[in-house]
Amino acid sequence: MTEVVLGKNQYGKAQNHVVRIHRDTDRHVIRDLVVTSQLRGDFEAVHTQGDNGHCVPTDTQKNTVFAFAQKYGITSPEELLLKLSEHFTSDFDWVTGGRWAADEHAWDRINDSNHCFVQNQQEVRTAVLVTDGEQQTVISGFKDLTVLKSTESGFEGYPKDQYTTLPETTDRIMSTDVATRWRYNTTDVDYDAVYADVKRIILDKFTDHYSRALQETLYLMGKAVIEAHPEIDEIKFSCPNKHHFVYDLGFCDLENTNETHYAADRPFGLIEATVQRKDAQDAEQAWLGIAGFC
Ligand SMILES: O=c1[nH]c(=O)c2[nH]c(=O)[nH]c2[nH]1
């Protein structure tokens, strides 16, 4: 007789798109979030017995996201996720944890208007909260922050074999779409302020040195974040190296001294790294469910 058991599971409502206007004064504030709520706990019977007695509907989870946005406002994505987690784990005693995630699109004011906004397409902010019993782990980040430096980057000194054709360079374009996530070692955080500061550090570091490889630049970014923020134990990056090749215009006798480039969209280098506080606690469980490296 083959024995079959239920393994790890979680369920909920994905991608609840909630736009909350804070309109206590004429100067409105907009928070635009896509929120996913998933519960973990004793859901054996719903899977194996057809017994929904423990199955808090995904529809209820969706309603709770919108109700909490209204009731508490959205001060930061992370704080909304923490409220959802505390609610579900305290109101339903078989819910022992879960995973809550939010992507946030930022809006800027048009001409400093009180109520007209233009979407800021710079990056998408991300937040994940994983709750397991008493343990709450918050991982924040962003993706799709496209940056480019037109000089102060090179790549030399690499090993060469019979397959190497890449010429060494001390002056190339370096460009990437920064995707990063960082893990907090506490939930006592001013999430919006730290977010703004981590983004500032990453952009500052991108500019402040001659880069010998994208790897070096990512490490310097991560190191600066960990040094400046004791509440962050590790930060991960996943960054494409968006190659820009100097276009050979010899066919029409035009000189091209590092000016006109062919921006190749593929293949691309893919540079991924974790920078962490030495001796920080391992938190692999919290990273599970994050697609790709980060
Ligand atoms: O910054 C870089 N890192 C690499 O590992 C690499 N490999 C490559 O071909 N070009 C580059 N550039």
Side-chain angles (χ1 to χ4, degrees), residues 154-155 166 172 174 212-215 241 243 271:
F155 190 61
L166 184 75
R172 65 171 184 174
M174 191 167 87
R212 291 172 290 193
L214 184 51
Q215 286 92 328
N241 189 0
H243 303 304
I271 314 299

